[in-house]
Structures are given as C-alpha cells and as structure tokens.
Amino acid sequence: MPSSTPIMDRAAIERSAPPTLTPPISTPALRVEGLTKRFGEVIAVDDLTLEVPRGTVFGFLGPNGAGKTTTIGMLLGLVHPTRGRVEVLGRRVRPGDPAALRRVGALVGAPALIPSLSARRNLALLAGLVPGHDGRAAIDAALRRVGLGDAAHRRAGTFSTGMKQRLGLAMALLEEPDLLILDEPTSGMDAAARREVKNLLREAAAEGVTVFLSSHLLHEIEQVCDEVAVLDRGRLVTRGPVASLLPDATMVRVRVDDPVAAARRLEALEGVTRIDANGSYLEVEGVDPQRLVAFLVGAGHVPSEVTSGRPDLETLFLQLTAPEDGTRTGVEA
Amino acid sequence: MIALTSVELTKLFRRPPLWLLLGAVGAALVLLAVAIALSAPPEAGERPSALELAVPFGILAGQVLAAIAGAALAQEYQWRTLPLWLARGVARGPLLLARFLATLPALLLVALVPVAVGLLLSLGRLEAALLASHLSLDGLALAVLAMAFGVLPYVALSLGLAVGTRAVAVPVGGVLLLALLVEPIVGQLAPRIGAYLPSSLSRTLLAGGGDGRLAAGLLIALYTAVLLAVAVAAFRRQDLTG
C-alpha cells in the first residue's frame, strides 16, 4: 500500500494532543486498519485497511451494497465497527466519544436540515455547537462559498434539491474543517453547479483540506481526485493514484452488425487482452485500431464506426466490480 | 453541555408545535370555562372554577408536549440532523440529555399557561379583592412546578421510544396511550398498582400531604432517571446508517 510519509507514534499523539490541536502534518488525514462490520451474518465491510494522505482529494468507489455508506458511517463515529480502528487527523474515532471529529465536515446522503428554519438558522444551530463561538462570519462565508448568499433567509424546506445539497455542503464547510467527508455531494445539481463544486473541492485541497469523496459520477471522480480506492462486497479491490490505476493499453470501440459473432472471431487475434460486447458496440483492448479494423474486415465484420482512446475510470471500475455471475443490474459508486 | 442545551432550546422554541400547543391549551380552557358558566347558574355553587380546571389541562398539555418532544427527536432521525451533529463531534449522551433539559422550560410554560388563563377567568368572575384574599401565589407556583415535574417520566419515555424506533408515531402513540388509556384502566382495575403509575403520582404530588408528596416526588424522579438512562444507553449503542 502506498504511503506518503512515515507514520508518527500514534499512541503518543493520542496521549498528547488535545482535541482542538491540529496534529502534525505527517500523520495521514485518515487511517483505517482492519475495519470490519458485521450485521448478523452479513459482512458489510471486511478487513478494510486504508490511508488517506493530507491535502489530497480521495475518491471512494464501489457498486451498490459494496459497504461504502457503512464505511463512511464508521469513519464518522455513526456506526460501531465490529473490529478494527479508525483514526481521523491523528486521533482515534470511537462512537459515543467522537472528539476526533471536531475538525471534520461531512455531507453524507441527503443533506441534513430542519425544513422550517432558514438556511442561516440551520447553519447557526450547527455553529452553536461550538461553545462561545460567534459563527456569523463563518456562516456568511460558507453560504457565499456555495452560492446561497441570496437565499440565506429563505426556509430550507422551500429549497430545490440542488439548493439543499448546496446547504449541506455549506454545513460541511462551516468552521473550515481539515477533512471533508462527502457522499454524493453533487446529487441533484445541474452541470454548472457540479462544476462549481468540483472547483470548490480543488480549492479546498489547495488550501490543505483533505477531501474524502464518494460519488457515482465516475468522470467527475477521475477529474477531481488524486487517488481512488474501489470497494466491492465489503473488500478493498484496488487503490492508488488515478493515473497509475488506468491501464496504458488503448481501448478501441467499433460498431458492427453482429458484435457477438465478431467478438468470437476476435478471440483469435493475437494481443487482444479484453473484449466487451456492449449493445451494437465492441470494446477491445490490447491491439491498435488499424490491425483491429483490418482483422474485422477480413473476417467479414466491416465496422461502421471506430473510435479509440485510453480506458477511463468507469471502464476500470466495471472490470474491478464485475459480478461473479456476469450480470450487472446497476452501476453506482 | 450549555451550548448544546441552548441549541436544543432554540430548536424547540423556534418551531411551531410548542406555540400551537400553548395556544390550543389556552383556547380550550377558555371555551370550557365559558361552556360551564353558560350551562350552570352561579348559585349552583358546586361548579369547578377555571383555576381548578387548569390543573388537568396543565397535566394533559404536559403529556402532549412530552409526546411532541419524542416526535421531534424521531423526526430528526428522518431529517438526518442527528447523524450530522454526531459527525461533528457531539457526544451522544450529552446530546440526549440536552434534549431532555431543553424540554424543561417548555414544560413549565405549558403548565403556566392554563394556570394564567384560569387566573384571568377567575378574576372576571370574582371581586378582585376576594380573589386576592383566597389566592396563594406560592401555592400556584408550586402547582406549576408540580405539574411540570410530574410529566418528566413521560418526556423520558417519549425520548426512549423515539430512540428505539426512530418513528414519529411511536412516541406520540406510546405516551398518549399510556396517559389516556393504560393508566386510567389500571387505576380502575388495580388501584394499588395504579397508585404507583406516573399520573397518580403526579396527582399525589399536587394534592397529597407531606410524606405522600415526598414519596411521589421521589418515585417520579426514579421513573425519569431509569427511563432516561435506558434511552441514553440505547442511543449510545445505536448504529446510525442509511
């Protein structure tokens, strides 16, 4: 497993650091060791070990039911691990004693808000959790940052889905956290708003904030994340920098009349490492486009359309999380 | 803890249910007093005064407030504000205790409103001087405190039901079922057992003598402490997924 920096004596950090003290920069923002969660006979998360370096934008992917939400719940002290430990910003997270989470901002699932209160009042309640703190400036800054400055006094219950999501983001950004844990932060947002959020996350990372991001929008993850981890059936199947995970091989996409028959013929072509039939298209890796087209023409399957490029994160994700029986009912991170 | 309680107070007092309840209690008491006054002539003598009516109204309103407190907590599971706060480093035990503490001033208010309305209605019926000579402000204050205190087990029960089920209907149904159905039935069928249930203890607290009042107060405190401890323990063990 890649690790950015040597790890300090964690026990010493736990003993010495008061909750409000920022731990040494050399500690990872997030460290998970042997994390396991069972619900009866079902193993939701199985021996997960993970480290997220500070200042990175880290993508956390997996299909439905992979254990992402349970993992995030354990990171945030909302779910009791069956086994293993979670450290956030150098301090251990224990459900019921989550002092380690005071420098963490989170948006998990649908944004949490009280519909009858204004956006400002919702944020004020959250700011009020910090004793003696006048959160007005922080609230204004958070609302401006997510583009809700003009809607500050509107009741949150009247907001559109996208606006509620922005308010949830403002809550996560309140008090300038050192670590952001976000689950589907752009859900319900239009394209322009999603772009703003992407920029916002990159800005936050540039300011030293670590972002732990779960999203089903894989192209966004690819654009914004430095590293990703893929979880499947509760187990970590891969992790690392996005660029290093994507194969170097070129993927060629061709449209043919009979993809299944063409795929059978292609199995004989030397160098081919992967063939996927997808509707009337074939996706082929390991062979250059000219050779592929020449082979198909020779085999009587003249392509009507040919495109080529590097496999993207979505392709990698589908390969890594393919069901054992070959069926797939939905793809989601 | 102070900051947390202050936030919980804001949530309780800045939302409509509490004020709707207070308005409904005051209006219902006025309507009932007017109905009694119209139906029985003053010389009938035995008709209850508005102040006497205030006590059952105050207790019932307190029980409804207890149900609302539990419903509001269950609602926050659905709004996901509870996980949000816990994920911001708020400990579970203090969060639930803060919610309980924030209910106390609202309970006092709910007990005070019918007494105040009853007092105003009584002023309208009697000579002010005559009323003043019979009125004990200390007694009224004690009655308000006793009404609020007597409802505490219902608040603790309601919070526990909300934690246990995360459903709005359960604390509302549970508290009202206990107060309006189970306790009266047990009181009728098994008076010796019924005497130890919260509503009977509450009546003893309001009307009983020295030792009886002390015992009732202690039992109410015990009920409250046990129910609250169970609610906190369940909350601390809970997995907040989904």
Side-chain angles (χ1 to χ4, degrees):
Chain A
M1 171 179 303
S3 176
S4 59
T5 47
I7 304 306
M8 293 188 70
D9 179 354
R10 280 178 282 120
I13 291 168
E14 274 193 355
R15 281 195 303 273
S16 63
T20 51
L21 190 67
T22 303
I25 202 76
S26 54
T27 51
L30 194 61
R31 180 206 291 272
V32 167
E33 283 178 7
L35 198 62
T36 302
K37 179 63 184 180
R38 281 176 175 271
F39 293 104
E41 293 300 305
V42 178
I43 303 175
V45 178
D46 189 5
D47 198 24
L48 178 66
T49 295
L50 197 64
E51 232 173 63
V52 178
R54 282 171 178 261
T56 55
V57 182
F58 193 93
F60 192 53
L61 312 177
N64 286 339
K68 299 185 307 300
T69 304
T70 305
T71 302
I72 290 174
M74 288 190 281
L75 300 183
L76 293 171
L78 302 175
V79 175
H80 296 70
T82 307
R83 200 172 58 241
R85 60 187 280 148
V86 175
E87 282 177 25
V88 164
L89 302 168
R91 292 181 62 83
R92 186 161 185 188
V93 176
R94 293 183 178 89
D97 179 23
L101 298 166
R102 299 221 166 107
R103 299 296 308 153
V104 177
L107 171 57
V108 181
L113 43 89
I114 298 178
S116 59
L117 301 181
S118 69
R120 166 174 282 282
R121 177 59 62 183
N122 268 286
L123 285 167
L125 288 177
L126 205 56
L129 296 174
V130 183
H133 176 73
D134 178 8
R136 273 176 293 189
I139 290 167
D140 286 337
L143 284 169
R144 274 198 308 272
R145 206 162 182 189
V146 299
L148 284 180
D150 294 337
H153 297 286
R154 268 180 59 187
R155 287 198 305 120
T158 66
F159 281 8
S160 68
T161 307
M163 289 173 82
K164 284 178 182 167
Q165 205 68 16
R166 285 166 183 250
L167 182 55
L169 262 178
M171 289 174 169
L173 291 165
L174 197 65
E175 310 293 348
E176 298 180 348
D178 293 327
L179 171 64
L180 275 172
I181 296 180
L182 306 173
D183 186 14
E184 303 291 355
T186 58
S187 173
M189 289 183 177
D190 58 29
R194 284 206 304 271
R195 175 174 287 190
E196 283 173 29
V197 171
K198 268 190 298 186
N199 293 339
L200 192 149
L201 296 181
R202 292 285 3 159
E203 280 170 27
E207 291 164 9
V209 178
T210 309
V211 182
F212 186 85
L213 173 66
S214 172
S215 170
H216 73 277
L217 298 171
L218 296 177
H219 61 283
E220 286 188 4
I221 289 268
E222 191 172 346
Q223 286 169 2
V224 81
C225 290
D226 305 303
E227 289 193 37
V228 294
V230 180
L231 198 68
D232 188 32
R233 300 175 194 96
R235 297 189 72 91
L236 186 70
V237 288
T238 191
R239 68 147 294 183
V242 175
S244 74
L245 290 178
L246 297 178
D248 289 329
T250 299
M251 184 185 74
V252 187
R253 200 160 187 256
V254 292
R255 183 173 187 159
V256 288
D257 288 339
D258 187 351
V260 176
R264 270 202 297 272
R265 297 296 298 271
L266 278 173
E267 285 169 7
L269 180 61
E270 194 181 339
V272 170
T273 55
R274 187 178 75 88
I275 308 167
D276 265 355
N278 185 359
S280 56
Y281 288 89
L282 277 179
E283 291 173 356
V284 185
E285 282 178 25
V287 62
D288 66 71
Q290 292 87 348
R291 261 188 76 211
L292 176 68
V293 171
F295 181 86
L296 284 172
V297 170
H301 297 282
V302 180
S304 58
E305 186 183 323
V306 181
T307 54
S308 69
R310 270 187 90 192
D312 58 9
L313 189 59
E314 185 166 319
T315 311
L316 174 75
F317 176 83
L318 291 171
Q319 284 172 15
L320 289 169
T321 62
E324 282 159 1
D325 62 1
T327 59
R328 181 182 290 283
T329 53
V331 177
E332 203 171 299
Chain B
M1 191 68 191
I2 292 170
L4 206 50
T5 307
S6 160
V7 168
E8 291 296 337
L9 277 171
T10 306
K11 278 157 63 178
L12 187 61
F13 280 85
R14 288 237 175 205
R15 286 165 55 202
L18 173 64
W19 301 108
L20 288 175
L21 175 65
L22 290 173
V25 168
L29 187 57
V30 170
L31 285 176
L32 191 64
V34 169
I36 289 171
L38 290 176
S39 64
E43 56 272 19
E46 292 302 316
R47 73 184 191 194
S49 73
L51 261 177
E52 286 167 334
L53 287 173
V55 171
F57 263 83
I59 292 175
L60 178 63
Q63 289 163 340
V64 172
L65 179 70
I68 289 174
L73 181 66
Q75 183 76 72
E76 289 207 36
Y77 278 100
Q78 291 166 19
W79 287 335
R80 303 183 49 77
T81 42
L82 278 183
L84 171 73
W85 290 30
L86 297 176
R88 292 297 284 234
V90 174
R92 297 184 187 208
L95 179 60
L96 203 59
L97 288 176
R99 174 62 63 111
F100 177 78
L101 292 176
T103 314
L104 302 185
L107 273 181
L108 284 174
L109 199 57
V110 159
L112 187 63
V113 163
V115 170
V117 171
L119 197 58
L120 287 173
L121 290 172
S122 299
L123 277 172
R125 279 178 51 202
L126 297 170
E127 289 287 330
L130 181 65
L131 181 67
S133 67
H134 284 77
L135 192 67
S136 158
L137 283 179
D138 291 354
L140 278 181
L142 274 177
V144 168
L145 283 174
M147 277 192 275
F149 185 71
V151 177
L152 293 184
Y154 297 96
V155 177
L157 172 70
S158 183
L159 295 179
L161 289 173
V163 167
T165 65
R166 311 181 195 188
V168 172
V170 177
V172 174
V175 167
L176 295 183
L177 198 71
L178 174 70
L180 302 180
L181 202 64
V182 175
E183 287 187 296
I185 290 174
V186 172
Q188 286 289 321
L189 298 179
R192 292 183 70 175
I193 295 173
Y196 294 99
L197 294 178
S199 65
S200 292
L201 294 171
S202 194
R203 281 196 296 275
T204 308
L205 199 62
L206 280 158
D211 282 352
R213 192 174 269 184
L214 180 67
L218 287 174
L219 269 177
I220 286 171
L222 184 66
Y223 270 127
T224 306
V226 169
L227 289 168
L228 204 54
V230 171
V232 169
F235 192 40
R236 287 178 67 94
R237 293 172 59 86
Q238 204 161 46
D239 282 334
L240 293 162
T241 52

Coordinates of all heavy atoms in Angstrom, one line a residue, chain A residues 66-96:
Chain A
A66 N -21.7 -2.2 -1.7 CA -20.3 -2.6 -1.5 C -19.8 -2.3 -0.1 O -18.8 -2.9 0.3 CB -19.5 -1.8 -2.5
G67 N -20.5 -1.5 0.6 CA -20.1 -1.2 2.0 C -19.6 0.2 2.2 O -19.0 0.6 3.2
K68 N -19.8 1.1 1.2 CA -19.3 2.5 1.3 C -19.9 3.3 2.4 O -19.3 3.9 3.2 CB -19.5 3.2 -0.1 CG -18.8 2.6 -1.2 CD -19.0 3.5 -2.5 CE -20.4 3.8 -2.7 NZ -21.3 2.7 -3.0
T69 N -21.3 3.2 2.4 CA -22.0 4.0 3.4 C -21.7 3.5 4.8 O -21.5 4.3 5.7 CB -23.5 3.9 3.1 OG1 -23.8 4.3 1.8 CG2 -24.3 4.8 4.1
T70 N -21.6 2.2 5.0 CA -21.2 1.7 6.3 C -19.8 2.1 6.7 O -19.6 2.5 7.8 CB -21.3 0.1 6.3 OG1 -22.6 -0.2 5.8 CG2 -21.0 -0.5 7.6
T71 N -18.9 2.1 5.7 CA -17.5 2.6 6.0 C -17.5 4.0 6.4 O -16.9 4.4 7.4 CB -16.6 2.4 4.7 OG1 -16.7 1.0 4.4 CG2 -15.2 2.8 5.0
I72 N -18.3 4.8 5.6 CA -18.3 6.3 6.0 C -18.9 6.5 7.3 O -18.5 7.3 8.1 CB -19.0 7.1 4.9 CG1 -18.2 7.1 3.6 CG2 -19.4 8.5 5.3 CD1 -18.8 7.7 2.4
G73 N -20.0 5.7 7.6 CA -20.6 5.7 9.0 C -19.6 5.4 10.1 O -19.6 6.1 11.1
M74 N -18.7 4.5 9.8 CA -17.7 4.1 10.8 C -16.6 5.3 10.9 O -16.2 5.6 12.0 CB -17.0 2.8 10.5 CG -18.0 1.6 10.8 SD -17.2 0.0 10.7 CE -17.1 -0.3 8.9
L75 N -16.3 5.9 9.8 CA -15.3 7.0 9.8 C -15.9 8.1 10.7 O -15.1 8.8 11.3 CB -15.1 7.5 8.4 CG -14.5 6.6 7.4 CD1 -14.2 7.3 6.1 CD2 -13.2 5.9 7.9
L76 N -17.2 8.3 10.6 CA -17.8 9.4 11.3 C -18.3 9.1 12.7 O -19.1 9.9 13.3 CB -18.9 10.0 10.4 CG -18.5 10.7 9.1 CD1 -19.6 11.0 8.2 CD2 -17.7 11.9 9.4
G77 N -18.0 7.9 13.2 CA -18.5 7.5 14.5 C -20.0 7.3 14.6 O -20.5 7.3 15.7
L78 N -20.6 7.0 13.5 CA -22.1 6.8 13.5 C -22.4 5.3 13.6 O -23.5 4.9 14.0 CB -22.7 7.4 12.2 CG -22.5 8.8 12.0 CD1 -23.1 9.3 10.6 CD2 -23.2 9.6 13.1
V79 N -21.4 4.5 13.2 CA -21.6 3.0 13.2 C -20.5 2.4 14.0 O -19.3 2.8 13.8 CB -21.6 2.5 11.7 CG1 -21.6 1.0 11.7 CG2 -22.7 3.1 10.9
H80 N -20.8 1.5 14.8 CA -19.8 0.8 15.7 C -19.1 -0.3 14.9 O -19.8 -1.2 14.4 CB -20.5 0.1 16.9 CG -21.1 1.1 17.8 ND1 -22.3 1.8 17.5 CD2 -20.8 1.5 19.1 CE1 -22.6 2.5 18.5 NE2 -21.7 2.4 19.5
P81 N -17.8 -0.2 14.7 CA -17.1 -1.3 14.0 C -17.2 -2.6 14.8 O -17.1 -2.6 16.0 CB -15.7 -0.8 13.9 CG -15.7 0.6 14.3 CD -16.9 0.8 15.1
T82 N -17.3 -3.7 14.1 CA -17.2 -5.0 14.8 C -15.7 -5.2 15.2 O -15.4 -5.8 16.2 CB -17.7 -6.1 13.8 OG1 -19.0 -5.8 13.3 CG2 -17.7 -7.5 14.5
R83 N -14.8 -4.8 14.3 CA -13.4 -5.0 14.6 C -12.6 -3.8 13.8 O -13.2 -3.3 12.9 CB -12.9 -6.3 14.1 CG -11.6 -6.8 14.7 CD -11.3 -8.3 14.3 NE -11.2 -8.5 12.9 CZ -12.0 -9.3 12.2 NH1 -13.0 -10.0 12.8 NH2 -11.9 -9.5 10.9
G84 N -11.4 -3.6 14.3 CA -10.6 -2.6 13.6 C -10.7 -1.2 14.2 O -11.4 -1.0 15.2
R85 N -9.9 -0.3 13.6 CA -9.8 1.0 14.2 C -9.8 2.1 13.1 O -9.4 1.9 12.0 CB -8.7 1.2 15.1 CG -7.3 1.0 14.5 CD -6.2 1.1 15.6 NE -5.9 2.4 15.9 CZ -5.4 2.8 17.1 NH1 -5.4 1.8 18.1 NH2 -5.1 4.0 17.4
V86 N -10.3 3.3 13.5 CA -10.4 4.4 12.6 C -9.7 5.6 13.3 O -9.9 5.8 14.4 CB -11.8 4.8 12.3 CG1 -11.8 6.1 11.4 CG2 -12.6 3.7 11.6
E87 N -8.8 6.2 12.6 CA -8.1 7.4 13.1 C -8.4 8.5 12.1 O -8.2 8.4 10.9 CB -6.6 7.2 13.2 CG -6.2 6.4 14.4 CD -4.7 6.2 14.4 OE1 -4.0 7.0 13.8 OE2 -4.3 5.2 15.0
V88 N -8.8 9.7 12.6 CA -9.1 10.8 11.8 C -8.2 11.9 12.3 O -8.2 12.3 13.5 CB -10.6 11.2 11.9 CG1 -10.8 12.6 11.4 CG2 -11.4 10.3 11.1
L89 N -7.4 12.5 11.4 CA -6.5 13.6 11.8 C -5.6 13.2 13.0 O -5.4 14.0 13.9 CB -7.3 14.9 12.0 CG -8.1 15.3 10.9 CD1 -9.1 16.4 11.3 CD2 -7.3 15.8 9.7
G90 N -5.2 12.0 13.1 CA -4.3 11.5 14.1 C -5.0 11.1 15.4 O -4.3 10.7 16.3
R91 N -6.3 11.2 15.5 CA -7.0 10.8 16.7 C -8.0 9.7 16.4 O -8.6 9.7 15.4 CB -7.7 12.0 17.3 CG -6.8 13.1 17.8 CD -7.5 14.2 18.4 NE -8.3 13.8 19.6 CZ -7.9 13.6 20.8 NH1 -6.6 13.9 21.1 NH2 -8.6 13.2 21.8
R92 N -8.1 8.8 17.4 CA -9.0 7.6 17.2 C -10.4 8.0 17.3 O -10.8 8.8 18.2 CB -8.6 6.6 18.2 CG -9.4 5.3 18.0 CD -8.8 4.1 18.7 NE -9.6 2.9 18.3 CZ -9.4 1.7 18.8 NH1 -8.4 1.6 19.7 NH2 -10.1 0.7 18.4
V93 N -11.2 7.5 16.4 CA -12.7 7.8 16.4 C -13.4 6.6 17.2 O -13.2 5.5 16.8 CB -13.3 7.9 15.0 CG1 -14.8 8.0 15.1 CG2 -12.6 9.0 14.2
R94 N -14.1 7.0 18.2 CA -14.9 6.0 18.9 C -16.4 6.5 18.9 O -16.6 7.6 19.3 CB -14.4 5.8 20.3 CG -13.1 5.2 20.5 CD -12.7 5.1 22.0 NE -11.4 4.5 22.2 CZ -10.3 5.1 22.2 NH1 -10.3 6.4 22.1 NH2 -9.2 4.5 22.4
P95 N -17.3 5.6 18.5 CA -18.7 6.1 18.6 C -19.1 6.4 20.0 O -18.7 5.7 20.9 CB -19.5 4.9 18.1 CG -18.5 4.1 17.2 CD -17.2 4.3 17.9
G96 N -19.8 7.5 20.2 CA -20.1 7.9 21.5 C -19.1 8.8 22.2 O -19.4 9.5 23.1

